[in-house]
Amino acid sequence: MNDVIVAGREAAERQVEDWLDVYGADDASAAELLCDRHDPAAVAFTLVEPDLSSVSFTYGELADESRRLATVLAGKGVQRGDRVPVLLGKRRELVVTLVALWRLGATHVPLFTAFATGAIALRVEGAGASVVVTDASQRDKVDPLDVSVLDVDDVTAEAASAQPCTEDVAVGGDGVIVQLYTSGTTGKPKGVPVPLRALASFQAYQHYSLDVAQDDVFWNAADPGWAYGLYYALMTPLAAGRTSLLFNGGFTPDSTVAVMKEFGVTNFAGAPTMYRALRAGADTSGISLRRASSAGEPLTPDIVEFGLQKLGCEVRDHYGQTETGMVIGNHWYSDVAMPLKAGSMGQAMPGYTAGIVDGQIAIDLKASPAVWFTGYDGAPEKSAERFTDDRAWYLTADTGKVDDEGYFSFTARDDDVILAAGYRIGPFDVESVMVTHPSVAEVAVVGRPDPEGIRGEVVEAFVVLNTGFTGGDVLEKELQAVVRDGYSKHAYPRAVHFVESLPKTPSGKVQRFILRREGA
């Protein structure tokens, strides 16, 4: 690093310590820090409907409405320490409900609106919840459960005439304000308690990695039912007093472009699948972003180039987990920004020191003051798996590597690594090469048992094609040659399957374990 970057990094570390003092204080109040301390006339969210109609929602309105709703919720038995699942779309009432819960010292348990009853039940039961907040559009999913159901429209109507709550519960920096459940491709989801002090880490990401400026039109399009959307589309803008867009609609390439153009978005964040969909068929003419960021899955180099050509700036990859928030990134803020390296997800974020331990990306707990995860709720054995025996490192269970300049690269989830003829092959490396072929819209690479029983596993690829291409033997051979010639002979896919879509979690992560199954 040059002297300017070193000085910028040192200043950033001091700023993170200052934020930790604020959000980690013993008397810290979530409602105060996320709402009440900001200018009441300032706009918290621009609420956008699918028809692109919009309304500005100020911090003053949020303060008043959440105080009144807190009074109603308290009257229905919600109190400090209660875990309250909330099943709502990206609407005004979602934000009001969360701040109202935090006024009471209660813990928000996010539920994704695409969940069916089974996924909801796992989280409600895991949290030990007795009440769920939802609306008419989601009610049928919750009614079968043994909980009290509050319709948000009913309680909001009641709150309109209620007296505002005048005293907030200050839970302090270690107080849990969110309990989010991992999406988990196998096994039951695990509860991740998020303390108030985690906001120091979240604000560091927004400032240094996303570089959200005061005059930006910021839109994180991720759903707040999941970590990236909840942490960085809702909680962090509120903590920092920034204005952001909240679009009450599902993702489509056309709707995303329409929102960007109508509201003049300058700073955008979303999942790689969003960028791939935009690249595949959206008319992005007229879009000019100052910053574009990606998280959730590794970002293939072709999307970086797409950003430069079609969005006005490169797309920068960032890395994190539900348990940590974002911890590594290609930071945008000028004082800590480094040039991109193809395939790298960047450097450790201010407040964190990262390394490689037994092949895994890991966080040095003694040198990372911003770390806030201490273990899963009620799962000590699972918690122990995420730390070295001496509790010196947090283990991500993601394999990767780091170069001499501190650039980290993702290889695979630990259980996705392919062991073929003595080689350890990372799916992402092969996918990054295959996606450069003009026929490939999306690709997932997995290891399957070698039918000849020689190599242990063989590499197989599942490919979604761009419009205008047809799968077959000729294209399969082309794609195999792309890997052989562009990456390595040992890693080329022995079979290429052409599929209509890839299996994914609701948050957009490819479920490779499904593809590994026999007969996939």
Side-chain angles (χ1 to χ4, degrees):
M1 294 184 186
N2 62 41
D3 291 343
V4 173
I5 296 297
V6 170
R9 180 77 188 202
E10 291 174 349
E13 297 289 349
R14 292 192 295 271
Q15 176 62 77
V16 172
E17 292 284 0
D18 289 343
W19 281 327
L20 283 166
D21 288 342
V22 173
Y23 296 112
D26 291 341
D27 61 349
S29 160
E32 169 67 21
L33 294 171
L34 289 158
C35 178
D36 298 351
R37 64 173 174 161
H38 303 311
D39 179 358
V43 175
F45 292 96
T46 301
L47 305 170
V48 182
E49 295 300 322
D51 64 359
L52 301 188
S53 61
S54 66
V55 63
S56 294
F57 186 31
T58 68
Y59 282 98
E61 291 171 324
L62 175 58
D64 179 65
E65 292 175 27
S66 62
R67 288 183 180 120
R68 295 177 187 276
L69 183 59
T71 296
V72 173
L73 294 177
K76 298 184 182 300
V78 176
Q79 56 187 339
R80 179 174 184 159
D82 286 352
R83 286 169 165 77
V84 181
V86 178
L87 181 61
L88 293 173
K90 292 173 281 188
R91 51 184 292 191
R92 182 189 194 106
E93 290 78 9
L94 171 64
V95 185
V96 174
T97 300
L98 302 197
V99 178
L101 291 173
W102 294 329
R103 289 193 186 283
L104 298 174
T107 299
H108 165 51
V109 179
L111 297 175
F112 184 41
T113 53
F115 281 155
T117 298
I120 293 169
L122 285 172
R123 289 157 174 80
V124 171
E125 293 166 5
S130 59
V131 60
V132 174
V133 180
T134 189
D135 61 18
S137 70
Q138 302 289 325
R139 177 93 189 222
D140 62 322
K141 301 176 184 178
V142 182
D143 280 339
L145 306 181
D146 185 22
V147 290
S148 174
V149 180
L150 299 181
D151 187 298
V152 76
D153 294 310
D154 291 342
V155 293
T156 298
E158 188 176 343
S161 58
Q163 290 297 312
C165 170
T166 56
E167 293 187 13
D168 299 330
V169 175
V171 298
D174 290 328
V176 177
I177 60 174
V178 168
Q179 182 149 307
L180 189 62
Y181 284 78
T182 60
S183 55
T185 55
T186 58
K188 288 186 177 181
K190 302 178 289 292
V192 177
V194 182
L196 181 55
R197 61 186 168 84
L199 288 169
S201 165
F202 297 172
Q203 191 160 351
Y205 174 68
Q206 175 168 287
H207 184 72
Y208 292 107
S209 298
L210 297 178
D211 187 26
V212 180
Q214 186 70 49
D215 58 353
D216 266 328
V217 179
F218 174 63
W219 183 26
N220 179 342
D223 193 283
W226 295 103
Y228 194 65
L230 178 63
Y231 296 169
Y232 305 113
L234 284 188
M235 295 176 70
T236 310
L238 288 174
R242 291 287 192 262
T243 301
S244 61
L245 297 182
L246 191 62
F247 177 57
N248 189 21
F251 171 80
T252 69
D254 289 342
S255 67
T256 300
V257 167
V259 172
M260 286 185 178
K261 291 181 178 179
E262 178 69 20
F263 295 92
V265 173
T266 60
N267 194 322
F268 179 78
T273 51
M274 295 178 177
Y275 290 104
R276 293 186 192 117
L278 290 173
R279 183 194 64 174
D283 178 8
T284 58
S285 59
I287 292 175
S288 181
L289 298 177
R290 189 181 72 87
R291 301 286 186 252
S293 305
S294 175
E297 281 266 297
L299 189 68
T300 47
D302 59 299
I303 298 300
V304 178
E305 185 63 27
F306 161 72
L308 285 169
Q309 293 180 356
K310 301 293 185 179
L311 301 178
C313 68
E314 61 198 14
V315 183
R316 294 202 161 204
D317 193 16
H318 301 146
Y319 168 83
Q321 298 183 322
T322 300
E323 295 91 336
T324 61
M326 307 308 290
V327 292
I328 294 171
N330 289 292
H331 315 304
W332 273 113
Y333 189 71
S334 59
D335 287 0
V336 295
M338 298 275 284
L340 289 189
K341 284 188 179 181
S344 172
M345 56 196 187
Q347 306 82 36
M349 197 173 73
Y352 292 91
T353 299
I356 303 295
V357 175
D358 296 332
Q360 293 185 51
I361 300 166
I363 304 300
D364 184 341
L365 298 178
K366 295 180 180 178
S368 302
V371 167
W372 48 265
F373 177 72
T374 57
Y376 299 111
D377 182 50
E381 292 183 1
K382 289 293 183 182
S383 300
E385 295 173 3
R386 305 313 293 269
F387 300 92
T388 55
D389 290 343
D390 58 0
R391 297 283 291 197
W393 293 87
Y394 167 83
L395 304 173
T396 65
D398 289 333
T399 61
K401 52 193 175 183
V402 60
D403 68 15
D404 293 339
E405 295 182 287
Y407 283 81
F408 284 81
S409 298
F410 176 92
T411 305
R413 289 291 299 174
D414 193 45
D415 53 4
D416 285 335
V417 171
I418 303 165
L419 303 176
Y423 294 101
R424 289 174 62 87
I425 301 169
F428 177 63
D429 294 331
V430 182
E431 293 162 2
S432 294
V433 175
M434 293 187 70
V435 80
T436 64
H437 193 280
S439 68
V440 178
E442 287 191 286
V443 58
V445 168
V446 302
R448 300 276 293 279
D450 179 9
E452 299 177 4
I454 298 172
R455 298 178 181 86
E457 290 184 305
V458 294
V459 177
E460 296 192 9
F462 293 78
V463 173
V464 178
L465 294 173
N466 281 314
T467 303
F469 291 89
T470 303
D473 291 344
V474 173
L475 184 55
E476 179 178 27
K477 288 181 172 57
E478 281 187 33
L479 294 174
Q480 289 171 327
V482 165
V483 179
R484 275 198 305 265
D485 299 340
Y487 178 54
S488 175
K489 292 180 180 179
H490 78 277
Y492 84 90
R494 304 286 168 158
V496 177
H497 307 279
F498 299 102
V499 296
E500 292 295 320
S501 62
L502 299 175
K504 296 176 182 176
T505 67
S507 61
K509 296 180 181 179
V510 175
Q511 295 174 303
R512 291 179 177 82
F513 76 97
I514 293 177
L515 299 176
R516 286 195 294 266
R517 290 174 180 166
E518 291 294 332

